[in-house]
Amino acid sequence: MRGEFGGSEEGVQDLKERQHRVINRRVRALNMVSKRDIFDISGPLHLSSVNWKCPQHRRTVAASLVQSCYVLERDRQQNCLASEALAPAWWKFFHFELIRTLIDDADFSIFGAIFKFNPPISMQNSTMSDAPKFVIAFRGTITKKDSFARDITLDLHFIRNGLHKTSRSDIAMQAVRNVVSAVGNVNIWLAGHSLGSAMATFAGRNMAKTGHLLETFLFNPPFLSAPIERIKDKKVKQGLRIANSFFTAGLAIALKGRHEKSSEDSFTILSAWVPSLFVNPDDHICSEYIGYFDHRAKMEEIGVGSIERLATQNSIGDLFLSAFGKESEPLHLLPSANLTINMSPSPDFKTAHGIHQWWTPDANLQTKEYRYR
């Protein structure tokens, strides 16, 4: 028997079954997709033309490229074909190309990516010289079974100040070195969110020590500390911070002794690197950065800046570790920064810690620069 279009009835039936399986797979994939991953629904569509001198535009592009790293990994986990992948829209909208994905050697998840800016000639404008040539972006923790275990392990390494000892950090660091070696450090951006911010911080610090100051965007970067910033009483909060500064400085002198000067020199070298930090007061993971920098200015005002300059480069936990021969620099303590605080109300922690808040056009943001001197 021949089918209507010349094929056998069995062949027509096989074709229908294959089409049915493809449709079912696409439906299942769409059901698993979060609307927050779909650029046409959740992306910064308002930014149709980028002014590369505008901090808001630069922040939006950096955050979008970080989001693309999340979507790249979720595309991989859901086995999305190229035609079904959601990630490309997040970089193609801004005329970037995906040069390389960064793969974790433990679980083979995508944790970052290298993007190259390649705009059409028609998009050239007077601000193009301020655009990045390359952006190296890192995602944070994904709570999906294919990557969750590895991401949580790395979160714990960060808490123990051991992120720099992991293979993911080695892969990230080598990728950054390769790009800088190939094109120089001019107009290369680092960007990350949450755990990815810690990865970008690690890479940025290491490059700064060698004289390569990379523009860096740290979204909701984790800060290891007691949640003093969440205390509502300002006098109590300030009193605790002053006491903590004197205790930390005293402990540093007692435990480090002659190493104190080299630690200060290292902090001074890093001070030329000024990463951009983006934090939300309702996000306890990063909100301590607000008090960390504000308290330094207050200590200068009351005439004990020298105490705070010593305290600000040390953490109590790492000081105790140094007493047992495990000395290392606390990754989260930064000499200088452009600190942006999102003062818009957050309905829940997920919103306060999310990456999407950083391209909302009507967000109430306050920015202040802090320099270590």
Side-chain angles (χ1 to χ4, degrees), residues 285-331:
I285 290 177
C286 67
S287 61
E288 279 304 304
Y289 271 114
I290 299 172
Y292 173 73
F293 285 109
D294 185 58
H295 177 61
R296 277 177 19 184
K298 284 184 169 58
M299 291 289 277
E300 290 286 351
E301 290 175 7
I302 64 176
V304 288
S306 59
I307 297 294
E308 183 56 24
R309 280 191 291 275
L310 180 56
T312 196
Q313 57 192 281
N314 292 286
S315 73
I316 294 174
D318 286 289
L319 285 171
F320 277 116
L321 287 175
S322 70
F324 296 96
K326 298 181 179 180
E327 189 167 353
S328 63
E329 296 179 2
L331 184 63

Side-chain angles (χ1 to χ4, degrees), residues 88-108:
W90 289 91
W91 64 76
K92 287 184 177 180
F93 185 80
F94 298 108
H95 304 289
F96 282 86
E97 297 177 4
L98 176 63
I99 301 300
R100 175 190 166 193
T101 54
L102 303 180
I103 310 297
D104 190 285
D105 62 342
D107 65 355
F108 305 106

Side-chain angles (χ1 to χ4, degrees), residues 95-347:
H95 304 289
F96 282 86
E97 297 177 4
L98 176 63
I99 301 300
R100 175 190 166 193
T101 54
L102 303 180
I103 310 297
D104 190 285
D105 62 342
D107 65 355
F108 305 106
S109 65
I110 299 171
F111 71 89
I114 302 174
F115 302 97
K116 181 181 180 181
F117 186 48
N118 189 21
I121 296 177
S122 60
M123 295 293 295
Q124 302 290 332
N125 61 50
S126 60
T127 71
M128 203 63 70
S129 61
D130 292 281
K133 294 178 180 177
F134 290 88
V135 178
I136 307 164
F138 306 99
R139 66 164 176 84
T141 302
I142 291 182
T143 56
K144 299 288 185 182
K145 64 178 182 179
D146 289 347
S147 56
F148 183 65
R150 175 61 168 166
D151 288 351
I152 287 296
T153 299
L154 290 162
D155 288 333
L156 293 175
H157 277 295
F158 174 80
I159 292 172
R160 297 195 296 263
N161 197 24
L163 190 64
H164 61 289
K165 299 177 182 178
T166 65
S167 58
R168 183 179 289 190
S169 291
D170 291 339
I171 295 168
M173 195 66 246
Q174 191 56 54
V176 174
R177 288 195 183 104
N178 288 345
V179 174
V180 172
S181 176
V183 301
N185 64 349
V186 178
N187 289 5
I188 294 177
W189 290 5
L190 298 177
H193 174 250
S194 194
L195 174 62
S197 278
M199 202 68 66
T201 300
F202 171 67
R205 286 174 66 105
N206 280 353
M207 296 309 297
K209 289 177 182 178
T210 62
H212 298 287
L213 306 179
L214 305 184
E215 185 154 1
T216 306
F217 299 80
L218 305 176
F219 300 100
N220 301 82
F223 189 100
L224 296 177
S225 173
I228 299 175
E229 191 60 29
R230 299 180 71 83
I231 298 173
K232 301 301 181 183
D233 190 307
K234 291 184 178 181
K235 290 184 178 179
V236 172
K237 183 161 55 178
Q238 184 175 4
L240 285 173
R241 291 197 183 281
I242 291 174
N244 183 69
S245 291
F246 276 92
F247 180 76
T248 303
L251 194 62
I253 293 171
L255 294 180
K256 287 193 171 185
R258 58 191 175 85
H259 298 295
E260 176 193 335
K261 185 63 177 177
S262 62
S263 174
E264 185 173 352
D265 289 343
S266 175
F267 219 62
T268 301
I269 291 171
L270 280 176
S271 65
W273 175 56
V274 188
S276 295
L277 276 62
F278 302 92
V279 306
N280 189 308
D282 295 322
D283 175 12
H284 63 269
I285 290 177
C286 67
S287 61
E288 279 304 304
Y289 271 114
I290 299 172
Y292 173 73
F293 285 109
D294 185 58
H295 177 61
R296 277 177 19 184
K298 284 184 169 58
M299 291 289 277
E300 290 286 351
E301 290 175 7
I302 64 176
V304 288
S306 59
I307 297 294
E308 183 56 24
R309 280 191 291 275
L310 180 56
T312 196
Q313 57 192 281
N314 292 286
S315 73
I316 294 174
D318 286 289
L319 285 171
F320 277 116
L321 287 175
S322 70
F324 296 96
K326 298 181 179 180
E327 189 167 353
S328 63
E329 296 179 2
L331 184 63
H332 62 290
L333 302 184
L334 300 171
S336 305
N338 282 315
L339 181 67
T340 297
I341 305 171
N342 187 355
M343 303 302 294
S344 302
S346 297

Side-chain angles (χ1 to χ4, degrees), residues 343-356:
M343 303 302 294
S344 302
S346 297
D348 50 38
F349 169 75
K350 185 177 181 180
T351 302
H353 188 64
I355 186 71
H356 288 66

Side-chain angles (χ1 to χ4, degrees), residues 55-75:
Q56 176 186 340
H57 291 192
R58 295 161 72 86
R59 179 189 74 244
T60 296
V61 173
S64 296
L65 294 178
V66 171
Q67 168 67 357
S68 73
C69 296
Y70 280 103
V71 186
L72 273 167
E73 172 56 16
R74 285 192 276 264
D75 279 347

